[in-house]
Amino acid sequence: MMRPYDAQRGLARLAQRVRGSLPSDLPALFALTDPVRTPDPLAFASQLAPGSGLIYRHFGAPERFQVGSTLVEIARQGGLQLFVSSDCELADRIGAHGIHWPERELGQAWARRMRGDSRPFTASVHSGAACMRAARAGIDGVFHSTLFASRSATAGRPHGIHAAAALARGTKMAVYPLGGVNTRTGRRLIGLGFAGFGCVGALSGD
């Protein structure tokens, strides 16, 4: 049986193959925490391959400042890029590498850019129109979901590869498919213009 450590590195290598020669300062592989599917974000982060990105989604957890501070140290030691989702106060306090924005908060991302925040921004999008709004808001990379069928409780109807690939070809932002991406489905993304991909279940063993 493949160990979690080895599985993470296999996914990281696959994400680099998906990116190919496409230039981007963002990681090829992003891992997203989830209170249900990754209940121990510290252990989850500790297993990630160097060079990966980690998006900490705490959904208001009272221990978020303590966890966030520890995640920063894990990221530094492990060569990760830590993004905090939807919490500028936490991102500022712990010195996160970047900020991730849900689609509904793209207006806040734009306001933050206007105040001079030059850190990398990523965002979730679910349509071409949302992708255009993200570009106007100064977003560097978007997660387009849901790509394949997913076990996530918030996953919508899968959009499929062709819609996501068309979106990637139509923007200068880095586009990351999200939802149901694993070592099997990820191979289908090679050569389609994606900057890599994002995972939750494939990295957590779900």
Side-chain angles (χ1 to χ4, degrees):
M1 180 179 294
M2 184 177 293
R3 295 174 300 174
Y5 184 90
D6 296 328
Q8 307 269 4
R9 277 145 185 75
L11 280 165
R13 289 192 295 269
L14 177 57
Q16 288 290 350
R17 289 180 61 196
V18 170
R19 169 174 289 182
S21 60
L22 186 69
S24 178
D25 293 330
L26 296 173
L29 176 65
F30 270 95
L32 291 80
T33 69
D34 180 272
V36 175
R37 304 170 78 188
T38 60
D40 187 345
L42 302 181
F44 181 60
S46 297
Q47 296 176 354
L48 296 178
S52 300
L54 174 66
I55 297 179
Y56 177 41
R57 303 184 297 172
H58 59 71
F59 300 100
E63 70 277 11
R64 62 190 180 277
F65 289 99
Q66 179 180 354
V67 172
S69 296
T70 306
L71 284 175
V72 166
E73 292 304 315
I74 292 174
R76 287 172 180 165
Q77 294 175 14
L80 310 175
Q81 291 188 22
L82 176 64
F83 286 63
V84 168
S85 178
S86 190
D87 191 334
C88 293
E89 180 184 3
L90 176 59
D92 291 344
R93 186 178 299 187
I94 67 176
H97 182 83
I99 302 176
H100 176 75
W101 304 88
E103 184 178 310
R104 64 181 181 279
E105 296 181 7
L106 287 173
Q108 296 181 41
W110 177 83
R112 187 81 177 186
R113 276 285 189 242
M114 293 301 99
R115 291 198 295 269
D117 195 327
S118 60
R119 286 177 291 191
F121 284 179
T122 61
S124 300
V125 299
H126 303 86
S127 67
C131 187
M132 293 176 63
R133 289 195 289 115
R136 292 195 296 267
I139 301 298
D140 301 291
V142 294
F143 293 87
H144 184 234
S145 64
T146 301
L147 188 67
F148 302 111
S150 170
R151 294 183 181 181
S152 172
T154 59
R157 181 178 180 181
H159 294 163
I161 292 177
H162 298 298
L167 185 147
R169 291 192 298 268
T171 180
K172 294 181 179 179
M173 294 183 297
V175 175
Y176 297 85
L178 178 66
V181 182
N182 52 42
T183 53
R184 177 179 55 82
T185 60
R187 295 186 181 93
R188 299 170 59 189
L189 307 176
I190 296 172
L192 298 181
F194 297 116
F197 51 76
C199 293
V200 180
L203 289 162
S204 63
D206 183 7

